[in-house]
Amino acid sequence: MSRINGFVGRRDFLKFASIVGIAATVFGDSFWNPEQTAVADIHPNPNSISPNEAIRRLLDGNQRFIHQKRQYPDQSLEHLRLVAKAQYPFAAIFGCADSRVPAEIIFDQGLGDLFVVRVAGNVVSDTVIGSLEYSTAVLGSQLIVVLGHRRCGAVAEAIKNELLPGRIGLIIEGIKPSLERIKFRTGDNMQDAVIANIQYQTEKLQENSTILAKLLREGKLKIVGACYDIDTGKVNIIT
């Protein structure tokens, strides 16, 4: 397999995974456990930073965004050509698809800095989990930020609890369990629901992925919740 700076090339990685998947079907689970192997074969990200340093870098960038002192890092043509060869994001952002919450802009980051997964209501699904497993186990990111935001429309619909058309309801159903865990902490019922959903989805990530759980146990990953204020542009870490 080809390697780029110690990483297996993505095409070869996916090709290899496909071949092994066929073999596992033929020979059974004893042939290969994909989750165990994916973690065991992690290659370190040569540009990785600690989870706490990644949080600091994100919050520093957010402060630049708030105060209109953006540096627009890693957005040159030279850097574009560099990351075309391989990506080494220092953090993964799992956020809401709301058009007002573009991660690279609000954190003042550039090409290849963030591995971003977005879906309405930042609702965890198998596809989301797989994407974040890839960002950590394959690309070497040591931080995942579950990013919700004030006045989230998906959370508001979950509170209304009304029938919705098409598959929109599937997203809302993924939020409803969080509403049972609301702790009244802000005096704003809507904001309390947003925070509850961030915390619920953060826990769901950890509980439904053996890969992420193993990385957390080994101290190779940190998952935190955060909330973006669409009025001020500020991001606050949720504890």
Side-chain angles (χ1 to χ4, degrees):
M1 294 186 188
S2 64
R3 290 177 182 269
I4 302 174
N5 293 335
F7 279 79
V8 177
R10 282 179 293 178
R11 289 184 181 177
D12 290 330
F13 175 83
L14 296 174
K15 185 187 298 181
F16 175 71
S18 176
I19 293 171
V20 175
I22 294 172
T25 301
V26 175
F27 297 106
D29 292 339
S30 61
F31 175 80
W32 185 62
N33 184 320
E35 291 187 335
Q36 291 178 353
T37 302
V39 175
D41 293 343
I42 291 175
H43 296 277
N45 181 333
N47 300 322
S48 69
I49 58 178
S50 71
N52 289 338
E53 173 61 19
I55 292 173
R56 186 197 64 77
R57 185 180 296 186
L58 290 172
L59 294 181
D60 284 351
N62 180 241
Q63 283 297 306
R64 295 195 300 271
F65 169 72
I66 293 171
H67 298 292
Q68 294 297 290
K69 296 181 179 180
R70 285 172 283 180
Q71 297 176 355
Y72 305 100
D74 299 332
Q75 297 181 33
S76 67
L77 182 59
E78 179 183 4
H79 190 75
L80 181 150
R81 290 168 176 163
L82 177 65
V83 296
K85 300 174 183 178
Q87 61 168 322
Y88 304 112
F90 72 84
I93 309 295
F94 171 43
C96 180
D98 192 296
S99 62
R100 299 165 293 181
V101 195
E104 287 88 352
I105 294 177
I106 67 174
F107 288 117
D108 192 28
Q109 301 300 320
L111 298 169
D113 292 335
L114 304 177
F115 189 94
V116 181
V117 180
R118 297 176 67 185
V119 64
N122 42 280
V123 174
V124 171
S125 66
D126 288 343
T127 303
V128 166
I129 291 172
S131 297
L132 294 173
E133 288 176 344
Y134 183 78
S135 73
T136 53
V138 178
L139 300 181
S141 302
Q142 295 189 42
L143 174 70
I144 296 174
V145 178
V146 179
L147 182 64
H149 64 93
R150 290 183 64 89
R151 301 205 302 276
C152 177
V155 173
E157 291 297 331
I159 294 173
K160 289 180 184 177
N161 196 26
E162 297 175 354
L163 185 64
L164 294 167
R167 300 191 180 185
I168 301 173
L170 295 177
I171 296 171
I172 306 309
E173 290 301 317
I175 296 174
K176 285 182 180 179
S178 70
L179 303 182
E180 301 173 1
R181 306 156 40 126
I182 292 177
K183 295 180 180 178
F184 299 100
R185 45 190 279 175
T186 69
D188 180 338
N189 289 350
M190 177 63 192
Q191 181 60 7
D192 289 334
V194 166
I195 293 173
N197 184 53
I198 293 169
Q199 294 173 325
Y200 173 73
Q201 305 300 338
T202 300
E203 293 175 12
K204 195 173 178 182
L205 266 184
Q206 301 175 48
E207 294 169 356
N208 288 273
S209 170
T210 57
I211 289 178
L212 298 182
K214 188 172 191 296
L215 290 172
L216 286 164
R217 288 196 304 272
E218 295 175 350
K220 298 176 181 177
L221 174 66
K222 188 170 187 176
I223 303 177
V224 300
C227 187
Y228 175 71
D229 190 328
I230 61 175
D231 294 309
T232 66
K234 186 176 181 180
V235 173
N236 289 303
I237 300 299
I238 301 298
T239 57

